[in-house]
Coordinates of all heavy atoms in Angstrom, one line a residue:
L1415 N 5.2 -26.6 -14.3 CA 6.2 -25.7 -14.8 C 5.7 -24.3 -14.9 O 4.5 -24.2 -15.4 CB 6.7 -26.2 -16.1 CG 7.7 -25.3 -17.0 CD1 9.0 -25.0 -16.3 CD2 7.9 -25.9 -18.2
G1416 N 6.3 -23.2 -14.5 CA 5.8 -22.0 -14.6 C 6.9 -21.1 -15.2 O 8.0 -21.3 -15.0
I1417 N 6.4 -20.1 -16.1 CA 7.3 -19.3 -16.7 C 6.9 -17.7 -16.5 O 5.7 -17.4 -16.8 CB 7.4 -19.4 -18.2 CG1 7.8 -20.9 -18.6 CG2 8.2 -18.5 -18.9 CD1 7.7 -21.3 -20.1
H1418 N 7.7 -17.0 -16.0 CA 7.5 -15.6 -15.9 C 8.0 -14.8 -17.2 O 9.2 -14.7 -17.3 CB 8.2 -14.9 -14.6 CG 8.0 -13.4 -14.5 ND1 8.3 -12.7 -13.4 CD2 7.3 -12.5 -15.4 CE1 8.1 -11.5 -13.6 NE2 7.5 -11.3 -14.8
A1419 N 7.1 -14.5 -18.0 CA 7.5 -13.9 -19.3 C 7.6 -12.4 -19.1 O 6.6 -11.8 -18.8 CB 6.4 -14.3 -20.4
G1420 N 8.7 -11.8 -19.3 CA 8.8 -10.4 -19.3 C 7.9 -9.7 -20.4 O 7.3 -8.7 -20.2
H1421 N 7.8 -10.4 -21.5 CA 6.9 -9.9 -22.7 C 6.5 -11.2 -23.3 O 7.2 -12.1 -23.7 CB 7.8 -9.2 -23.7 CG 8.4 -8.0 -23.1 ND1 7.7 -6.9 -22.9 CD2 9.7 -7.8 -22.7 CE1 8.6 -6.0 -22.2 NE2 9.8 -6.5 -22.3
L1422 N 5.2 -11.5 -23.2 CA 4.4 -12.6 -23.9 C 3.9 -12.2 -25.1 O 3.1 -11.2 -25.3 CB 3.2 -13.0 -22.9 CG 2.5 -14.2 -23.4 CD1 3.3 -15.5 -23.3 CD2 1.2 -14.3 -22.8
L1423 N 4.5 -12.8 -26.2 CA 3.9 -12.6 -27.6 C 2.9 -13.5 -28.0 O 3.1 -14.7 -28.1 CB 5.1 -12.7 -28.6 CG 4.9 -12.4 -30.0 CD1 4.4 -10.9 -30.2 CD2 6.2 -12.6 -30.8
T1424 N 1.7 -13.0 -28.3 CA 0.6 -13.8 -28.9 C 0.3 -13.3 -30.3 O 0.8 -12.2 -30.7 CB -0.6 -13.7 -28.0 OG1 -1.2 -12.4 -28.0 CG2 -0.4 -14.1 -26.6
M1425 N -0.4 -14.0 -31.0 CA -0.8 -13.7 -32.4 C -2.2 -13.4 -32.4 O -2.9 -13.7 -33.5 CB -0.4 -14.8 -33.2 CG 1.1 -15.1 -33.3 SD 2.2 -13.8 -33.7 CE 1.8 -13.5 -35.4
K1426 N -2.6 -12.4 -31.7 CA -4.1 -12.0 -31.6 C -4.4 -11.3 -33.0 O -3.8 -10.4 -33.2 CB -4.4 -11.0 -30.4 CG -5.7 -10.6 -30.2 CD -5.8 -9.7 -29.0 CE -7.3 -9.3 -28.9 NZ -7.6 -8.6 -27.6
G1427 N -5.5 -11.8 -33.5 CA -5.9 -11.1 -34.8 C -4.8 -11.3 -36.0 O -5.0 -10.4 -37.0
G1428 N -3.9 -12.2 -35.9 CA -3.0 -12.4 -37.0 C -1.8 -11.6 -36.9 O -0.8 -11.6 -37.8
S1429 N -1.7 -10.5 -35.9 CA -0.5 -9.8 -35.7 C 0.1 -10.0 -34.2 O -0.8 -10.3 -33.4 CB -0.8 -8.3 -36.0 OG -1.8 -7.8 -35.2
G1430 N 1.3 -9.7 -34.1 CA 1.8 -9.9 -32.8 C 1.4 -8.9 -31.7 O 1.4 -7.8 -31.9
V1431 N 0.9 -9.5 -30.6 CA 0.5 -8.6 -29.5 C 1.4 -9.0 -28.4 O 1.6 -10.2 -28.0 CB -1.0 -8.8 -29.1 CG1 -1.4 -8.1 -27.9 CG2 -2.0 -8.7 -30.3
V1432 N 2.1 -8.0 -27.8 CA 2.9 -8.1 -26.6 C 2.2 -7.8 -25.3 O 1.7 -6.8 -25.2 CB 4.3 -7.4 -26.8 CG1 5.2 -7.5 -25.6 CG2 4.9 -7.7 -28.3
N1433 N 2.3 -8.7 -24.5 CA 1.7 -8.5 -23.0 C 2.8 -8.5 -22.0 O 3.5 -9.6 -22.0 CB 0.7 -9.7 -22.7 CG -0.5 -9.7 -23.7 OD1 -1.4 -8.9 -23.7 ND2 -0.4 -10.6 -24.7
P1434 N 3.1 -7.4 -21.4 CA 4.2 -7.3 -20.4 C 3.8 -8.2 -19.1 O 2.7 -8.2 -18.7 CB 4.4 -5.8 -20.1 CG 3.0 -5.4 -20.4 CD 2.5 -6.2 -21.4
D1435 N 4.8 -8.7 -18.5 CA 4.8 -9.4 -17.2 C 3.6 -10.3 -17.2 O 2.6 -10.2 -16.3 CB 4.8 -8.4 -16.2 CG 6.2 -7.9 -15.8 OD1 7.2 -8.5 -15.9 OD2 6.1 -6.5 -15.7
F1436 N 3.7 -11.5 -17.8 CA 2.6 -12.5 -17.9 C 3.3 -13.9 -17.4 O 4.4 -14.0 -17.4 CB 2.2 -12.8 -19.3 CG 0.7 -12.1 -19.6 CD1 0.6 -10.8 -19.6 CD2 -0.3 -12.9 -19.8 CE1 -0.7 -10.1 -19.7 CE2 -1.6 -12.4 -19.9 CZ -1.7 -10.9 -19.8
F1437 N 2.4 -14.8 -16.9 CA 2.6 -16.0 -16.4 C 2.1 -17.0 -17.4 O 1.0 -17.0 -17.9 CB 2.1 -16.2 -15.0 CG 2.2 -17.6 -14.5 CD1 3.4 -18.2 -14.0 CD2 1.1 -18.5 -14.6 CE1 3.3 -19.4 -13.5 CE2 1.2 -19.8 -14.2 CZ 2.2 -20.2 -13.6
V1438 N 3.0 -18.0 -17.7 CA 2.5 -19.2 -18.5 C 2.7 -20.4 -17.5 O 3.9 -20.8 -17.2 CB 3.3 -19.4 -19.7 CG1 2.9 -20.5 -20.5 CG2 3.3 -18.1 -20.7
G1439 N 1.6 -21.2 -17.3 CA 1.8 -22.3 -16.5 C 1.6 -23.6 -17.3 O 0.6 -23.7 -18.0
I1440 N 2.4 -24.7 -17.2 CA 2.3 -25.8 -18.0 C 2.3 -27.0 -17.1 O 3.1 -27.0 -16.2 CB 3.6 -25.8 -18.9 CG1 3.6 -24.6 -19.8 CG2 3.5 -27.1 -19.8 CD1 4.9 -24.4 -20.6
K1441 N 1.4 -27.9 -17.3 CA 1.4 -29.1 -16.6 C 1.0 -30.3 -17.5 O 0.2 -30.2 -18.4 CB 0.2 -29.1 -15.5 CG -0.1 -30.2 -14.7 CD -1.1 -30.1 -13.7 CE -1.2 -31.2 -12.7 NZ -2.1 -31.1 -11.8
D1442 N 1.9 -31.3 -17.4 CA 1.9 -32.5 -18.3 C 1.9 -32.1 -19.8 O 1.2 -32.7 -20.5 CB 0.5 -33.3 -17.9 CG 0.6 -33.9 -16.5 OD1 1.6 -34.2 -16.0 OD2 -0.5 -33.8 -15.9
G1443 N 2.7 -31.1 -20.1 CA 2.9 -30.9 -21.5 C 1.8 -29.9 -22.0 O 1.8 -29.8 -23.2
V1444 N 0.9 -29.5 -21.3 CA -0.2 -28.8 -21.7 C -0.4 -27.4 -21.0 O 0.0 -27.2 -19.8 CB -1.6 -29.4 -21.4 CG1 -2.8 -28.5 -21.9 CG2 -1.6 -30.7 -22.2
I1445 N -0.5 -26.2 -21.7 CA -0.6 -25.0 -21.1 C -2.0 -24.9 -20.3 O -3.0 -25.0 -20.9 CB -0.5 -23.8 -22.2 CG1 1.0 -23.9 -22.7 CG2 -0.8 -22.4 -21.6 CD1 1.2 -23.0 -23.9
H1446 N -1.7 -24.6 -19.0 CA -3.0 -24.5 -18.1 C -3.4 -23.1 -17.8 O -4.4 -22.8 -17.3 CB -2.9 -25.3 -16.9 CG -3.0 -26.8 -17.2 ND1 -4.3 -27.3 -17.1 CD2 -2.1 -27.8 -17.5 CE1 -4.1 -28.7 -17.4 NE2 -2.8 -28.9 -17.6
A1447 N -2.5 -22.3 -17.9 CA -2.7 -20.8 -17.4 C -1.8 -19.7 -18.2 O -0.7 -20.0 -18.6 CB -2.3 -20.7 -16.0
V1448 N -2.5 -18.8 -18.7 CA -1.9 -17.7 -19.4 C -2.7 -16.4 -18.8 O -3.7 -16.1 -19.0 CB -2.1 -17.7 -20.9 CG1 -1.4 -16.5 -21.5 CG2 -1.5 -18.9 -21.5
E1449 N -1.7 -15.7 -17.8 CA -2.4 -14.6 -17.1 C -1.3 -13.6 -16.6 O -0.1 -14.1 -16.6 CB -3.2 -15.2 -15.9 CG -2.4 -16.0 -14.9 CD -3.3 -16.9 -14.0 OE1 -4.4 -17.3 -14.4 OE2 -2.8 -17.0 -12.9
P1450 N -1.7 -12.5 -16.1 CA -0.7 -11.6 -15.6 C 0.0 -12.2 -14.4 O -0.7 -13.0 -13.6 CB -1.6 -10.3 -15.1 CG -2.8 -10.5 -16.0 CD -3.1 -11.9 -16.2
I1451 N 1.3 -12.0 -14.3 CA 2.1 -12.6 -13.1 C 1.6 -12.1 -11.8 O 1.2 -10.9 -11.6 CB 3.6 -12.2 -13.5 CG1 4.5 -13.1 -12.6 CG2 4.0 -10.8 -13.2 CD1 4.6 -14.5 -13.0
R1452 N 1.8 -13.0 -10.8 CA 1.5 -12.7 -9.4 C 2.6 -13.2 -8.7 O 3.3 -14.2 -9.0 CB 0.2 -13.3 -8.9 CG -1.1 -12.7 -9.6 CD -2.4 -13.3 -9.0 NE -2.4 -14.7 -8.8 CZ -3.1 -15.5 -9.4 NH1 -3.7 -15.2 -10.5 NH2 -3.0 -16.8 -9.1
D1453 N 2.8 -12.8 -7.4 CA 4.0 -13.2 -6.5 C 3.8 -14.7 -6.3 O 4.7 -15.5 -6.1 CB 3.9 -12.4 -5.3 CG 4.5 -11.0 -5.6 OD1 5.2 -10.8 -6.5 OD2 4.3 -10.1 -4.7
S1454 N 2.4 -15.1 -6.2 CA 2.2 -16.5 -5.7 C 2.6 -17.6 -6.8 O 2.7 -18.7 -6.5 CB 0.8 -16.7 -5.4 OG -0.1 -16.4 -6.5
H1455 N 2.8 -17.0 -8.0 CA 3.1 -18.1 -9.1 C 4.4 -18.7 -8.8 O 4.5 -20.1 -9.0 CB 3.1 -17.4 -10.4 CG 1.7 -17.1 -11.1 ND1 1.4 -15.8 -11.5 CD2 0.6 -17.7 -11.2 CE1 0.1 -15.8 -12.0 NE2 -0.4 -17.1 -11.6
S1456 N 5.4 -18.1 -8.5 CA 6.6 -18.8 -8.5 C 6.7 -19.7 -7.2 O 7.5 -20.7 -7.3 CB 7.8 -17.7 -8.2 OG 7.6 -17.0 -7.0
K1457 N 6.0 -19.5 -6.3 CA 5.9 -20.4 -5.0 C 5.0 -21.6 -5.3 O 5.2 -22.6 -4.7 CB 5.3 -19.7 -3.8 CG 6.3 -18.6 -3.5 CD 5.6 -17.6 -2.3 CE 6.4 -16.5 -2.1 NZ 5.9 -15.2 -2.0
S1458 N 4.0 -21.6 -6.3 CA 3.2 -22.7 -6.5 C 3.5 -23.6 -7.5 O 3.0 -24.6 -7.8 CB 1.8 -22.2 -6.8 OG 1.8 -21.4 -8.1
C1459 N 4.7 -23.3 -8.2 CA 5.3 -24.3 -9.3 C 6.6 -25.1 -8.7 O 7.4 -24.6 -8.1 CB 5.6 -23.4 -10.5 SG 4.4 -22.4 -11.2
A1460 N 6.5 -26.3 -9.2 CA 7.7 -27.2 -8.9 C 8.9 -26.8 -9.5 O 10.0 -26.7 -9.0 CB 7.3 -28.6 -9.3
R1461 N 8.8 -26.1 -10.7 CA 9.9 -25.6 -11.6 C 9.4 -24.2 -12.1 O 8.3 -24.1 -12.6 CB 10.3 -26.6 -12.7 CG 10.9 -27.8 -12.2 CD 11.3 -28.7 -13.3 NE 12.3 -28.0 -14.2 CZ 12.5 -28.4 -15.5 NH1 11.8 -29.4 -16.2 NH2 13.4 -27.7 -16.3
F1462 N 10.1 -23.3 -11.8 CA 9.8 -21.9 -12.3 C 11.0 -21.3 -13.0 O 12.1 -21.3 -12.5 CB 9.4 -21.1 -11.1 CG 8.8 -19.8 -11.4 CD1 7.5 -19.6 -11.8 CD2 9.6 -18.6 -11.4 CE1 6.9 -18.5 -12.1 CE2 9.1 -17.4 -11.7 CZ 7.7 -17.2 -12.1
F1463 N 10.6 -20.8 -14.3 CA 11.7 -20.1 -15.1 C 11.5 -18.6 -15.0 O 10.4 -18.1 -15.2 CB 11.8 -20.6 -16.5 CG 12.2 -21.9 -16.7 CD1 11.4 -22.9 -16.8 CD2 13.6 -22.2 -16.6 CE1 11.9 -24.2 -16.9 CE2 14.1 -23.6 -16.8 CZ 13.2 -24.5 -17.0
D1464 N 12.4 -17.8 -14.6 CA 12.4 -16.3 -14.5 C 12.8 -15.8 -15.9 O 14.0 -15.7 -16.2 CB 13.2 -15.8 -13.4 CG 13.1 -14.3 -13.3 OD1 12.4 -13.6 -14.2 OD2 13.7 -13.7 -12.3
A1465 N 11.9 -15.6 -16.8 CA 12.3 -15.2 -18.2 C 11.8 -13.6 -18.3 O 11.3 -13.2 -19.4 CB 11.7 -16.0 -19.2
R1466 N 11.9 -12.7 -17.1 CA 11.4 -11.4 -17.3 C 12.1 -10.4 -18.1 O 11.6 -9.4 -18.6 CB 11.2 -10.9 -15.8 CG 12.4 -10.6 -15.2 CD 12.2 -10.1 -13.8 NE 12.6 -11.2 -12.9 CZ 12.6 -11.0 -11.6 NH1 12.1 -9.8 -11.1 NH2 12.9 -11.9 -10.8
T1467 N 13.3 -10.9 -18.6 CA 14.1 -10.2 -19.6 C 13.9 -10.7 -21.0 O 14.7 -10.3 -21.9 CB 15.5 -10.1 -19.1 OG1 16.1 -11.4 -19.2 CG2 15.7 -9.4 -17.8
Q1468 N 13.1 -11.7 -21.0 CA 12.9 -12.4 -22.5 C 11.5 -12.1 -23.1 O 10.5 -11.8 -22.4 CB 13.0 -13.8 -22.3 CG 14.4 -14.2 -21.5 CD 15.6 -13.8 -22.4 OE1 15.6 -14.1 -23.7 NE2 16.5 -13.2 -21.8
I1469 N 11.4 -12.4 -24.3 CA 10.1 -12.5 -24.9 C 9.8 -14.0 -25.1 O 10.5 -14.9 -25.6 CB 10.2 -11.9 -26.4 CG1 10.5 -10.4 -26.4 CG2 8.9 -12.2 -27.3 CD1 10.8 -9.8 -27.7
V1470 N 8.6 -14.4 -24.7 CA 8.2 -15.8 -24.6 C 6.9 -15.8 -25.7 O 6.0 -15.1 -25.7 CB 7.7 -16.2 -23.2 CG1 7.1 -17.5 -23.2 CG2 8.8 -16.1 -22.2
L1471 N 7.1 -16.9 -26.5 CA 6.1 -17.3 -27.4 C 5.4 -18.7 -26.9 O 6.1 -19.8 -27.0 CB 6.7 -17.6 -28.8 CG 7.1 -16.4 -29.6 CD1 8.5 -15.9 -29.1 CD2 7.1 -16.5 -31.0
P1472 N 4.2 -18.6 -26.3 CA 3.8 -19.8 -25.7 C 3.6 -21.1 -26.5 O 3.9 -22.1 -26.1 CB 2.3 -19.5 -25.3 CG 2.4 -17.9 -25.2 CD 3.4 -17.5 -26.2
G1473 N 3.3 -20.9 -27.8 CA 3.2 -22.1 -28.7 C 4.6 -22.8 -28.8 O 4.6 -23.9 -29.4
L1474 N 5.6 -22.1 -28.5 CA 7.1 -22.8 -28.7 C 7.6 -23.3 -27.4 O 8.8 -23.5 -27.3 CB 8.0 -21.8 -29.3 CG 7.5 -21.2 -30.7 CD1 8.4 -20.2 -31.3 CD2 7.3 -22.4 -31.7
T1475 N 6.9 -23.2 -26.3 CA 7.4 -23.6 -25.0 C 7.7 -25.1 -24.9 O 8.5 -25.4 -24.1 CB 6.4 -23.2 -23.8 OG1 5.1 -23.9 -24.0 CG2 6.2 -21.7 -23.7
E1476 N 7.0 -25.9 -25.7 CA 7.3 -27.2 -25.7 C 7.7 -27.6 -27.2 O 7.1 -27.4 -28.1 CB 6.1 -28.0 -25.4 CG 6.2 -29.6 -25.6 CD 7.2 -30.2 -24.7 OE1 7.1 -30.1 -23.5 OE2 8.1 -30.7 -25.3
I1477 N 9.0 -28.2 -27.2 CA 9.6 -28.4 -28.6 C 9.4 -29.8 -29.0 O 9.8 -30.1 -30.2 CB 11.0 -27.9 -28.7 CG1 11.9 -28.8 -27.6 CG2 11.1 -26.4 -28.6 CD1 13.4 -28.4 -27.9
S1478 N 8.7 -30.6 -28.2 CA 8.6 -32.1 -28.6 C 7.6 -32.1 -29.8 O 6.5 -31.4 -29.8 CB 7.9 -32.9 -27.5 OG 7.5 -34.1 -28.1
P1479 N 7.9 -32.8 -30.9 CA 7.0 -32.7 -32.1 C 5.7 -33.4 -31.7 O 4.7 -33.3 -32.5 CB 7.8 -33.4 -33.1 CG 8.9 -34.2 -32.4 CD 9.1 -33.4 -31.1
F1480 N 5.7 -34.3 -30.7 CA 4.5 -35.1 -30.3 C 3.6 -34.3 -29.5 O 2.3 -34.7 -29.4 CB 4.9 -36.5 -29.5 CG 5.9 -37.2 -30.4 CD1 7.2 -37.3 -30.1 CD2 5.4 -37.9 -31.4 CE1 8.0 -38.1 -30.8 CE2 6.2 -38.8 -32.2 CZ 7.7 -38.8 -31.8
K1481 N 4.0 -33.2 -28.8 CA 3.1 -32.5 -27.9 C 2.8 -31.1 -28.5 O 2.0 -30.4 -27.9 CB 3.8 -32.4 -26.4 CG 3.9 -33.7 -25.8 CD 4.4 -33.6 -24.5 CE 4.4 -34.9 -23.7 NZ 4.9 -34.8 -22.4
K1482 N 3.6 -30.8 -29.5 CA 3.3 -29.3 -29.9 C 2.0 -28.9 -30.3 O 1.4 -28.0 -29.9 CB 4.3 -29.1 -31.1 CG 4.3 -27.7 -31.6 CD 5.4 -27.5 -32.7 CE 5.3 -26.1 -33.3 NZ 6.3 -26.0 -34.3
T1483 N 1.3 -29.7 -31.0 CA -0.1 -29.5 -31.4 C -1.0 -29.3 -30.3 O -1.8 -28.5 -30.1 CB -0.6 -30.6 -32.4 OG1 0.3 -30.6 -33.5 CG2 -1.9 -30.3 -32.9
R1484 N -0.8 -30.3 -29.3 CA -1.7 -30.4 -28.1 C -1.6 -29.1 -27.3 O -2.6 -28.4 -26.9 CB -1.4 -31.6 -27.2 CG -2.5 -31.7 -26.2 CD -2.3 -33.0 -25.4 NE -1.1 -32.9 -24.5 CZ -0.7 -33.7 -23.7 NH1 -1.4 -34.9 -23.5 NH2 0.4 -33.7 -22.9
I1485 N -0.3 -28.5 -27.1 CA -0.1 -27.3 -26.3 C -0.5 -26.2 -27.2 O -1.3 -25.4 -26.6 CB 1.4 -27.2 -26.2 CG1 1.9 -28.2 -25.1 CG2 1.9 -25.8 -25.8 CD1 3.4 -28.2 -24.9
Q1486 N -0.4 -26.1 -28.4 CA -0.9 -24.9 -29.1 C -2.4 -24.8 -29.1 O -3.0 -23.9 -28.9 CB -0.5 -25.0 -30.7 CG 0.9 -24.7 -30.8 CD 1.4 -24.9 -32.2 OE1 0.9 -25.5 -32.9 NE2 2.6 -24.3 -32.5
K1487 N -3.1 -25.9 -29.1 CA -4.7 -26.1 -29.0 C -5.0 -25.6 -27.6 O -6.0 -24.9 -27.5 CB -5.2 -27.4 -29.3 CG -5.2 -27.8 -30.8 CD -5.6 -29.2 -31.0 CE -5.7 -29.5 -32.4 NZ -6.1 -31.0 -32.7
S1488 N -4.3 -26.0 -26.6 CA -4.7 -25.8 -25.2 C -4.5 -24.3 -25.0 O -5.4 -23.5 -24.3 CB -3.7 -26.6 -24.3 OG -3.9 -26.2 -23.0
Y1489 N -3.4 -23.8 -25.5 CA -3.2 -22.3 -25.4 C -4.3 -21.5 -26.0 O -4.8 -20.7 -25.4 CB -1.8 -21.9 -25.9 CG -1.5 -20.4 -26.0 CD1 -1.4 -19.8 -24.7 CD2 -1.6 -19.6 -27.1 CE1 -1.3 -18.3 -24.7 CE2 -1.5 -18.3 -27.0 CZ -1.4 -17.7 -25.9 OH -1.2 -16.2 -25.8
R1490 N -4.6 -21.9 -27.2 CA -5.7 -21.2 -27.8 C -6.9 -21.1 -27.1 O -7.6 -20.2 -27.0 CB -5.8 -21.7 -29.2 CG -7.1 -21.1 -30.0 CD -7.1 -21.5 -31.5 NE -5.9 -21.0 -32.3 CZ -5.8 -19.8 -32.6 NH1 -6.6 -18.8 -32.4 NH2 -4.7 -19.4 -33.4
H1491 N -7.3 -22.4 -26.6 CA -8.6 -22.4 -25.8 C -8.5 -21.5 -24.6 O -9.5 -20.7 -24.3 CB -8.7 -23.9 -25.4 CG -10.0 -24.1 -24.6 ND1 -11.3 -24.0 -24.8 CD2 -9.9 -24.4 -23.1 CE1 -12.1 -24.2 -23.9 NE2 -11.3 -24.5 -22.8
I1492 N -7.5 -21.7 -23.8 CA -7.5 -20.8 -22.6 C -7.3 -19.3 -22.9 O -8.0 -18.5 -22.2 CB -6.2 -21.2 -21.7 CG1 -6.3 -22.5 -21.2 CG2 -5.8 -20.2 -20.7 CD1 -5.0 -23.2 -20.6
S1493 N -6.6 -19.0 -24.0 CA -6.4 -17.5 -24.3 C -7.7 -16.9 -24.7 O -8.0 -15.8 -24.6 CB -5.4 -17.4 -25.4 OG -4.1 -17.9 -25.0
E1494 N -8.4 -17.6 -25.6 CA -9.8 -17.2 -26.0 C -10.7 -16.9 -24.8 O -11.4 -15.9 -24.9 CB -10.5 -18.0 -26.9 CG -9.6 -18.0 -28.4 CD -10.2 -19.1 -29.4 OE1 -10.8 -20.0 -28.9 OE2 -9.8 -19.1 -30.4
K1495 N -10.7 -17.7 -23.9 CA -11.6 -17.5 -22.7 C -11.2 -16.3 -21.8 O -12.0 -15.6 -21.4 CB -11.6 -18.8 -21.8 CG -12.3 -19.9 -22.2 CD -12.5 -21.1 -21.3 CE -11.2 -21.3 -20.4 NZ -11.3 -22.6 -19.5
K1496 N -9.9 -16.1 -21.8 CA -9.3 -14.9 -21.0 C -9.1 -13.7 -21.8 O -8.8 -12.6 -21.4 CB -8.1 -15.4 -20.3 CG -8.2 -16.4 -19.3 CD -6.9 -16.7 -18.6 CE -7.3 -17.9 -17.5 NZ -6.7 -17.8 -16.4
G1497 N -9.4 -13.7 -23.1 CA -9.3 -12.6 -24.1 C -7.7 -12.1 -24.2 O -7.4 -11.1 -24.7
V1498 N -6.8 -13.2 -24.1 CA -5.4 -12.9 -24.5 C -5.1 -13.0 -25.9 O -4.5 -12.3 -26.6 CB -4.6 -13.8 -23.6 CG1 -3.0 -13.6 -24.0 CG2 -4.7 -13.4 -22.2
L1499 N -5.8 -14.0 -26.5 CA -5.5 -14.4 -27.9 C -6.4 -13.6 -28.8 O -7.5 -13.5 -28.7 CB -5.5 -15.8 -28.1 CG -5.2 -16.3 -29.5 CD1 -3.7 -16.1 -29.7 CD2 -5.5 -17.8 -29.6

């Protein structure tokens, strides 16, 4: 699953940070990619949501109470490596 976020809202440093035109890639209920959008993202995903007019909060992309914690931990790990969070 891929999401083109027009505005990606992260909580870097405890305050909201907005990153324009970002991609969020989710596989098996876990966020695997948080990075600036590229043309190839929409072609490489089985399902792709065009949310370029929306604000996306990555920790809320999966609303299942059983997977929410795992997704939030995954996003934090990837974001810290890439300097997004």
Side-chain angles (χ1 to χ4, degrees):
L1415 169 65
I1417 303 170
H1418 177 175
H1421 302 283
L1422 180 76
L1423 178 61
T1424 64
M1425 297 306 291
K1426 184 176 184 177
S1429 62
V1431 175
V1432 178
N1433 299 285
D1435 287 318
F1436 256 66
F1437 171 78
V1438 178
I1440 302 169
K1441 183 175 180 180
D1442 298 326
V1444 178
I1445 295 175
H1446 283 272
V1448 177
E1449 57 194 33
I1451 192 75
R1452 295 188 314 256
D1453 290 336
S1454 62
H1455 283 133
S1456 64
K1457 297 173 184 135
S1458 64
C1459 297
R1461 293 178 61 198
F1462 188 80
F1463 290 100
D1464 183 353
R1466 70 182 108 175
T1467 62
Q1468 304 296 316
I1469 295 174
V1470 175
L1471 289 80
L1474 300 177
T1475 57
E1476 173 61 59
I1477 60 172
S1478 167
F1480 302 107
K1481 294 183 179 179
K1482 185 175 179 183
T1483 301
R1484 191 172 76 172
I1485 286 176
Q1486 289 174 337
K1487 286 180 182 176
S1488 171
Y1489 173 72
R1490 176 168 294 284
H1491 173 71
I1492 290 170
S1493 299
E1494 287 173 346
K1495 285 194 319 188
K1496 296 187 181 216
V1498 175
L1499 184 67

